[in-house]
Amino acid sequence: MVVKQETKSMTGNDAASYAALYAKPEVIAAYPITPQTTIVENLSRYVDAGILDAEFIIVESEHSALAACMGAAWSGVRTFTATSSQGLLYMAENVFWSGYGRLPIIMPVVNRCLAPGWNIWPDFQDSMAFRDAGWIQMYTKNNQEVFDTVLQSFKITEDKEIALPSMPCLDGFVISHTTGQVDLPDAEDAYEFVGPYDDPIIEIDVDNPWAFGPMTGPDLYAKNRRDLMAAMERAKKKIVSVHKEFDERFGRSYGNGLVEPYGDDEADLTLVTLGTIGDESQEAIDRLKAEGHNVNALRVRTFRPFPFEDIIEFAKKNHKLAVIDRAVSFGHEGPLRIEVEAVLKRFNVDTEITGQIMGIGGEDVSYSKIIDYAKKELKE
Amino acid sequence: MIEIIQISRGGSGGVTGAKILAEAAMNEGLDSQAIPKYGSERRGAAVEAYIRFDTSPIRIHSPVYDPDHAMVLDSSLLDRIDISKVDKDGVIIINSKEVPEELKGTGRKVAYVDATGISQELGLVLSGFTLVNMTMLGAFVKGTDIISFENLEKAIIRYWGEKRAPKNVEAAKRAYEETKVVIA
């Protein structure tokens, strides 16, 4: 049965803070400077007001913020931080360390573009730079999905069979600073869903000393990375099952948790998207269909692990994929297009593929721009 | 869907006002959205915000380009809004003692109130800036008749808390009572 929920008005950042509050992390570390987000600012208030019983560690840099989270994760407690843009870049060394070290940390990333050109608007260049860092990456389409995804992330990340840190991503500004409605469950119901982190993946025990991060020869190193690859594979199933369990309890779903299709199964053109462009695309699809065009959409919700099976299955039924990227791999294409195109080739699917880079530096991607783009692709 | 563009000066509380308006619409049972447009704006600079209400979930994340209504928190910013883009049956809600010259004879529906005067009388001034945001929400409710005053009041109280709410509710209420709606 779906639990009782209350609709509240809040920003996307607030939604992320609520999910964290309800999951009751024991350690939160943050460096309070722009472009840090109100996600941790809210949490510091909850701790100060005694609503959240957590150790809030104010450190001297973003690099140290994640280092503090790594220490906390090793000590076997639920650990949370959040970052954005330049802050994420400053963390870089530790982002890879915690991913490759399989540390269960939850860190929402507010997607904002990178300098130079100081700009606080959204694109995915920041999180895309960490595609290969061994973190689960899920991209959200609205404030509600931010709450839902952050809450789900704890359950996915802290599973012993998974043990991968999670980076729920939210479009800077367009979600982070925009007020919208979120159906919030009671704190108790949300916590019951996540459950306590009482059987930690790893736990420092002074009576039973271990070496952390020792010199590792090629054999063991390669085995560790193969284990990470296998964990990413398992994470797909886990994301689906946690998403299903969430749906049963709270009555909300986003496709199967990995991809969210929209519209008919088969169409002349399929828009493939990430983040809020996926939401805006649904609006575009409805309007295009009203004009008699046969279009549908597939929003990739989980980018790492990459749900190629679901993408292939959808692509097979369709004729042409038009991938909209909000990031660029300079010297090549948008990262989503590169990956979708690669799996089409790999599985000998002859669905046509094309792509467009849109929304860089927060350039507006309105449904009318998406409609124009779709019409252009329908003609070609 | 109802789309609103709001223009204010940084420091006068426009972004907060937009948030509270979105919550008031939620209280009315609508899905709503408030998008602030930040940049390098500082106190005194023109700041835009966009608000949407709808009976079904809003999937649009873009700024508002063709508003149904326009809210102008500082009458000197009226020229920053392309009135021709505002729906012809929409309302221009403006902080002004009278119908601004630019709007006279346009046939536009104008809701005007001396929000600055009301806010100053109530002491809603911070660091030299008159906070006209709550006052103008009262004018919006009166001018457009989409949201009840009770639902606006509820949102104001929720945002400001019991202690700080009374002055803000009073500002909205006075504007609600004093706003004149005319065809210019």
Side-chain angles (χ1 to χ4, degrees):
Chain A
M1 206 183 78
V2 172
V3 298
K4 177 176 71 72
Q5 289 167 86
E6 195 186 345
T7 306
K8 290 196 172 167
S9 193
M10 65 179 74
T11 64
N13 280 345
D14 295 341
S17 310
Y18 268 108
L21 170 69
Y22 291 173
K24 300 185 192 172
E26 287 179 78
V27 173
I28 301 160
Y31 178 56
I33 194 171
T34 302
Q36 187 44 275
T37 68
T38 50
I39 300 173
V40 287
E41 193 181 319
N42 289 335
L43 289 167
S44 73
R45 287 208 188 94
Y46 299 147
V47 172
D48 187 50
I51 303 166
L52 176 63
D53 182 18
E55 187 81 32
F56 193 98
I57 309 172
I58 298 173
V59 290
E60 72 284 5
S61 76
E62 295 273 7
H63 185 274
S64 304
L66 195 51
C69 287
M70 289 159 64
W74 268 315
S75 74
V77 300
R78 182 164 286 162
T79 304
F80 184 90
T81 186
T83 191
S84 176
S85 182
Q86 304 298 126
L88 177 63
L89 292 194
Y90 195 11
M91 284 180 174
E93 183 186 10
N94 288 335
V95 176
F96 281 84
W97 226 115
S98 40
Y100 296 173
R102 310 282 302 275
L103 295 174
I105 299 165
I106 308 298
M107 180 171 74
V109 168
V110 174
N111 290 117
R112 288 178 147 176
C113 54
L114 302 174
W118 281 117
N119 172 325
I120 51 174
W121 286 288
D123 70 32
F124 297 149
Q125 212 68 39
D126 54 359
S127 57
M128 282 296 166
F130 294 89
R131 183 190 67 174
D132 303 332
W135 286 59
I136 291 170
Q137 283 192 347
M138 295 167 92
Y139 290 79
T140 54
K141 67 173 181 181
N142 58 27
N143 298 20
Q144 181 72 62
E145 195 182 6
V146 170
F147 175 83
D148 297 349
T149 305
V150 173
L151 204 66
Q152 289 167 19
S153 293
F154 285 96
K155 223 172 153 68
I156 298 159
T157 280
E158 292 171 357
D159 185 304
K160 277 193 170 165
E161 292 296 309
I162 308 300
L164 293 166
S166 268
M167 193 184 285
C169 297
L170 49 148
D171 292 32
F173 239 92
V174 175
I175 296 184
S176 68
H177 286 65
T178 294
T179 299
Q181 265 77 81
V182 176
D183 288 346
L184 274 191
D186 287 345
E188 296 73 32
D189 286 326
Y191 183 70
E192 202 182 289
F193 170 76
V194 178
Y197 184 52
D198 53 9
D199 184 17
I201 291 164
I202 194 165
E203 190 174 11
I204 290 171
D205 177 0
V206 289
D207 296 324
N208 181 22
W210 280 35
F212 290 92
M215 174 72 196
T216 310
D219 291 354
L220 190 55
Y221 185 97
K223 181 195 174 299
N224 284 342
R225 295 300 175 270
R226 280 195 295 273
D227 287 351
L228 199 158
M229 286 167 77
M232 275 285 179
E233 265 313 299
R234 289 193 294 275
K236 285 185 207 167
K237 276 193 185 132
K238 185 72 189 174
I239 291 164
V240 171
S241 70
V242 168
H243 175 264
K244 187 163 176 279
E245 198 186 322
F246 183 93
D247 185 17
E248 283 159 7
R249 190 180 283 246
F250 302 106
R252 279 188 298 280
S253 60
Y254 305 92
N256 66 352
L258 298 170
V259 295
E260 185 185 43
Y262 186 76
D264 301 329
D265 275 357
E266 193 193 328
D268 298 331
L269 185 74
T270 302
L271 297 170
V272 183
T273 62
L274 281 175
T276 54
I277 294 178
D279 215 14
E280 197 90 21
S281 291
Q282 295 190 357
E283 186 75 23
I285 299 286
D286 286 356
R287 288 169 189 256
L288 282 161
K289 283 179 79 171
E291 289 178 28
H293 298 289
N294 187 12
V295 285
N296 62 11
L298 187 71
R299 180 172 67 93
V300 178
R301 179 178 186 242
T302 305
F303 186 68
R304 280 293 177 275
F306 194 62
F308 63 86
E309 297 93 336
D310 303 82
I311 293 169
I312 288 300
E313 196 194 327
F314 200 80
K316 273 182 183 166
K317 291 179 282 188
N318 286 283
H319 305 281
K320 184 178 184 180
L321 309 182
V323 183
I324 302 177
D325 265 289
R326 198 165 205 160
V328 198
S329 178
F330 292 100
H332 199 179
E333 299 277 355
L336 183 60
R337 183 200 167 155
I338 293 171
E339 305 221 352
V340 173
E341 194 160 10
V343 295
L344 292 182
K345 283 272 182 293
R346 185 166 138 206
F347 292 92
N348 296 316
V349 178
D350 59 4
T351 306
E352 198 185 334
I353 181 164
T354 181
Q356 178 89 4
I357 290 158
M358 296 172 95
I360 298 298
E363 216 176 30
D364 182 32
V365 187
S366 61
Y367 63 82
S368 53
K369 282 188 189 165
I370 298 171
I371 288 172
D372 290 347
Y373 170 56
K375 282 183 177 168
K376 182 182 137 249
E377 293 297 352
L378 281 164
K379 258 184 223 152
E380 280 169 10
Chain B
M1 184 175 315
I2 292 167
E3 299 187 297
I4 301 142
I5 185 165
Q6 177 194 269
I7 191 153
S8 62
R9 289 204 183 272
S12 64
V15 169
T16 302
K19 266 189 186 183
I20 294 175
L21 184 54
E23 183 160 338
M26 176 191 83
N27 294 340
E28 198 70 37
L30 298 165
D31 194 34
S32 66
Q33 193 186 50
I35 309 173
K37 192 183 169 193
Y38 293 125
S40 53
E41 285 88 351
R42 294 291 181 268
R43 282 171 177 266
V47 180
E48 282 183 19
Y50 315 101
I51 303 115
R52 289 191 174 92
F53 312 146
D54 204 355
T55 47
S56 54
I58 299 165
R59 298 175 297 186
I60 300 174
H61 297 270
S62 297
V64 168
Y65 295 108
D66 302 301
D68 293 283
H69 308 292
M71 269 173 97
V72 183
L73 271 58
D74 181 321
S75 60
S76 67
L77 294 172
L78 178 60
D79 62 354
R80 294 287 196 102
I81 290 192
D82 184 353
I83 297 297
S84 69
K85 296 249 182 185
V86 180
D87 186 85
K88 63 177 174 36
D89 298 319
V91 188
I92 295 151
I93 303 110
I94 189 161
N95 173 11
S96 177
K97 288 178 183 165
E98 54 196 28
V99 174
E101 280 304 319
E102 302 94 304
L103 294 173
K104 281 181 184 163
T106 56
R108 307 292 314 219
K109 195 172 179 186
V110 177
Y112 66 96
V113 68
D114 178 18
T116 304
I118 294 173
S119 291
Q120 284 178 353
E121 273 176 41
L122 291 168
L124 288 168
V125 178
L126 186 71
S127 312
F129 280 85
T130 305
L131 303 168
V132 294
N133 51 358
M134 297 302 106
T135 322
M136 286 299 286
L137 292 185
F140 175 86
V141 166
K142 178 67 173 289
T144 57
D145 208 20
I146 302 164
I147 296 166
S148 71
F149 187 80
E150 289 66 34
N151 280 329
L152 172 64
E153 186 178 5
K154 201 174 140 191
I156 294 175
I157 294 170
R158 215 280 309 156
Y159 186 87
W160 293 107
E162 295 289 335
K163 252 191 196 165
R164 291 196 287 171
K167 250 190 203 180
N168 289 294
V169 171
E170 179 64 18
K173 194 167 178 85
R174 275 199 50 193
Y176 180 71
E177 286 160 358
E178 294 174 25
T179 296
K180 292 190 181 69
V181 187
V182 297
I183 302 295

